[in-house]
Amino acid sequence: MEKIKMTTPLVEMDGDEMTRVLWKMIKDELLLPFVDLKTEYYDLGLEYRNKTNDQVTFDSAEATKKYGVAVKCATITPNAARMPEYNLKEMRKSPNGTIRAILDGTVFRAPIIVKGIEPYVKNWTKPITIARHAYGDVYKGTEMKIPAAGKAELVYTNEAGEETRELIHEFDGPGIIQGMHNLNSSIESFARSCFNYALDTKQDLWFATKDTISKKYDHTFKDIFAEIFEAEYKDKFDAAGIEYFYTLIDDAVARVMRSEGGYIWACKNYDGDVMSDMVATAFGSLSMMTSVLASPNGYYEYEAAHGTVQRHYYKYLKGEETSTNPIATIFAWTGALRKRGELDQLPALMTFADKLEKACIDTIENGEMTGDLYLISTLENKKKLNTEEFILAIRKTLERLM
Ligand code: NAP
Ligand code: MG
């Protein structure tokens, strides 16, 4: 069989620990035998990030701007325990944070749905994709404890030195205050990323805030989304047969619970933090959650939502058997390959991505799975495979589909 051709390289960002082990197995068993894989390789493993003072992370983000599509392995975000373990020169920043800052993107997370892994909300038959705004609000807030009676105000001083004041509260005893901000430019990028991603995936977009209570702050989010939608996206949404839907956050939560899924839910920073954990848990498994960073300029970086699965890696190093789920990492590759195929008009590459995803799902639905899924699957005839056996089982299914 002739291998499927690519024309533009993918930006390949390798990573750490167990997911680095999976990365190589996925390439060797599921990609290289079928695709004439073109990638520009960046080693984002902690050792090399440390050696290059993180230059490799910056370079990989710049390469993503050049080529448009990246696929990323999970990486360690160092904490104190990692300093001696990796002999670090300094505490390295989170690569995801660095890349996101350069691409100015929004992260979209969606579950992979298979028979036997039933969501806790039984009417959720289609994935719900959460888009979380990743800038500002309470995450860049300034807080103060008010010790005793006194007046608290918001003060804005413009460049000419003129002040505008708003009373927060006239305290007659101790209390607390918080100041937070956001930027129109950041909200605009968030909105465009969401509208683009909705068009990309042909799904409705929902957005919600508390604008009835927060008449300036949250209302600005609502207005910016509405203005950009009307001016730039309404016709495209009509043509694609999808909808942009705005409502209040509490109404959105009620509708989400009653829905069957199949849409993108755009959330402000805090709402996204809370709701993404709720939605991910309700869909069953972190190892079945995909993640893509989409920028307002149309750059994409695909990855798994989970981390480097450190506990499994330490078992692997000791030569013990592991049963680590590669599905979200495989879907990062298929997402990136499909997008590359779409941009370069390579239908064979897009079909390959579809088939590899189908091979993953069919394998699990036939009862062959890793330990994490084995624990929660409702299938009657199920078998727990180790990491390697599972990847080989997917390969067998894929060969039948090709
Ligand atoms: P984690 O890697 O997500 O794993 C947490 C636990 O979830 C695992 O111990 C395992 O549970 C289960 N799990 C996650 N993915 C799995 C998979 N594919 N197959 C089977 N089980 C899976 O989180 P962590 O161990 O807290 O973090 C490890 C490192 O990852 C940290 O250094 C962190 O900085 C990094 N991290 C990176 C990213 C990223 O690059 N996007 C995201 C999050 C965390 P059991 O042990 O019970 O089997
Ligand atoms: Mg959180």
Side-chain angles (χ1 to χ4, degrees):
M1 197 192 66
E2 212 182 307
K3 288 193 190 182
I4 296 158
K5 291 268 177 299
M6 291 179 67
T7 47
T8 316
L10 279 178
V11 178
E12 176 184 353
M13 305 171 174
D14 206 345
D16 288 299
E17 301 195 308
M18 200 60 204
T19 39
R20 189 178 179 103
V21 176
L22 292 176
W23 197 257
K24 181 164 187 327
M25 288 184 186
I26 292 167
K27 282 177 70 179
D28 288 348
E29 297 296 337
L30 302 176
L31 302 174
L32 292 169
F34 307 97
V35 180
D36 197 5
L37 198 64
K38 266 191 176 193
T39 72
E40 195 166 289
Y41 181 86
Y42 293 86
D43 185 358
L44 265 54
L46 184 50
E47 223 167 294
Y48 195 64
R49 270 184 278 146
N50 188 50
K51 199 169 153 196
T52 61
N53 292 320
D54 261 343
Q55 188 57 42
V56 65
T57 312
F58 292 100
D59 292 347
S60 71
E62 288 304 329
T64 307
K65 282 185 168 173
K66 176 172 167 198
Y67 294 113
V69 188
V71 56
K72 181 180 169 292
C73 180
T75 45
I76 292 170
T77 298
N79 55 17
R82 301 292 194 172
M83 300 288 289
E85 185 184 355
Y86 283 84
N87 204 0
L88 298 183
K89 297 188 238 173
E90 59 181 90
M91 191 91 93
R92 299 277 155 223
K93 284 206 183 123
S94 147
N96 288 53
T98 303
I99 295 167
R100 196 166 59 210
I102 294 173
L103 299 182
D104 183 24
T106 297
V107 173
F108 296 82
R109 285 186 161 197
I112 300 156
I113 293 186
V114 293
K115 254 187 247 114
I117 313 295
E118 311 297 340
Y120 292 112
V121 182
K122 60 181 183 301
N123 42 293
W124 286 0
T125 53
K126 296 177 193 165
I128 295 171
T129 303
I130 297 252
R132 172 181 171 188
H133 185 211
Y135 180 84
D137 301 350
V138 69
Y139 301 85
K140 284 220 185 275
T142 305
E143 306 187 328
M144 217 189 259
K145 283 195 175 202
I146 302 297
K151 185 163 76 171
E153 290 176 293
L154 284 177
V155 184
Y156 160 70
T157 313
N158 71 12
E159 285 178 322
E162 297 150 349
E163 289 183 354
T164 311
R165 286 169 182 266
E166 287 283 346
L167 178 70
I168 296 174
H169 193 66
E170 197 89 56
F171 286 87
D172 53 18
I176 41 185
I177 58 170
Q178 180 183 62
M180 59 186 197
H181 78 280
N182 222 299
L183 307 171
N184 287 15
S185 60
S186 174
I187 302 167
E188 287 159 13
S189 289
F190 177 48
R192 288 198 176 90
S193 296
C194 289
F195 290 131
N196 287 342
Y197 198 68
L199 283 170
D200 239 36
T201 57
K202 301 237 170 348
Q203 297 184 91
D204 289 347
L205 177 69
W206 296 16
F207 181 46
T209 71
K210 195 71 185 173
D211 66 282
T212 46
I213 299 296
S214 173
K215 290 191 167 63
K216 288 181 185 153
Y217 199 103
D218 277 19
H219 216 289
T220 298
F221 279 82
K222 178 185 178 179
D223 290 343
I224 287 176
F225 266 69
E227 281 155 24
I228 292 180
F229 179 68
E230 286 302 322
E232 301 169 30
Y233 292 94
K234 186 161 188 332
D235 296 344
K236 294 179 196 160
F237 269 53
D238 287 346
I242 58 172
E243 239 183 70
Y244 168 57
F245 170 64
Y246 177 87
T247 187
L248 282 172
I249 185 70
D250 37 355
D251 180 51
V253 169
R255 285 172 188 261
V256 164
M257 297 312 288
R258 288 195 303 265
S259 77
E260 57 171 26
Y263 49 85
I264 299 163
W265 183 10
C267 292
K268 285 180 62 200
N269 210 348
Y270 174 82
D271 298 341
D273 188 352
V274 176
M275 293 306 165
S276 66
D277 279 2
M278 187 193 73
V279 170
T281 306
F283 270 108
S285 177
L286 184 61
S287 53
M288 297 291 279
M289 205 41 120
T290 63
S291 181
V292 52
L293 175 73
S295 87
N297 310 308
Y299 312 129
Y300 297 84
E301 183 237 294
Y302 293 83
E303 63 173 334
H306 61 75
T308 60
V309 213
Q310 179 182 18
R311 205 181 65 81
H312 295 210
Y313 182 59
Y314 288 173
K315 278 174 76 176
Y316 170 86
L317 286 182
K318 282 192 260 170
E320 291 172 23
E321 186 168 75
T322 57
S323 184
T324 314
N325 190 338
I327 295 289
T329 305
I330 297 173
F331 273 62
W333 276 99
T334 53
L337 289 170
R338 184 185 295 106
K339 176 53 77 181
R340 201 61 273 168
E342 201 183 300
L343 295 174
D344 297 346
Q345 292 171 4
L346 301 170
L349 195 59
M350 294 163 75
T351 310
F352 173 76
D354 293 343
K355 283 187 179 165
L356 178 49
E357 289 182 0
K358 184 166 168 21
C360 291
I361 290 168
D362 286 359
T363 304
I364 297 168
E365 293 186 346
N366 282 333
E368 296 182 297
M369 58 194 82
T370 43
D372 56 317
L373 299 183
Y374 182 81
L375 281 176
I376 56 174
S377 172
T378 56
L379 293 184
E380 291 197 351
N381 291 311
K382 53 180 180 180
K383 209 163 88 193
K384 177 180 162 177
L385 304 185
N386 69 32
T387 308
E388 201 157 20
E389 286 168 348
F390 182 61
I391 288 177
L392 292 175
I394 296 170
R395 168 142 184 194
K396 242 191 212 150
T397 316
L398 177 61
E399 276 168 355
R400 270 201 303 274
L401 292 173
M402 290 300 286

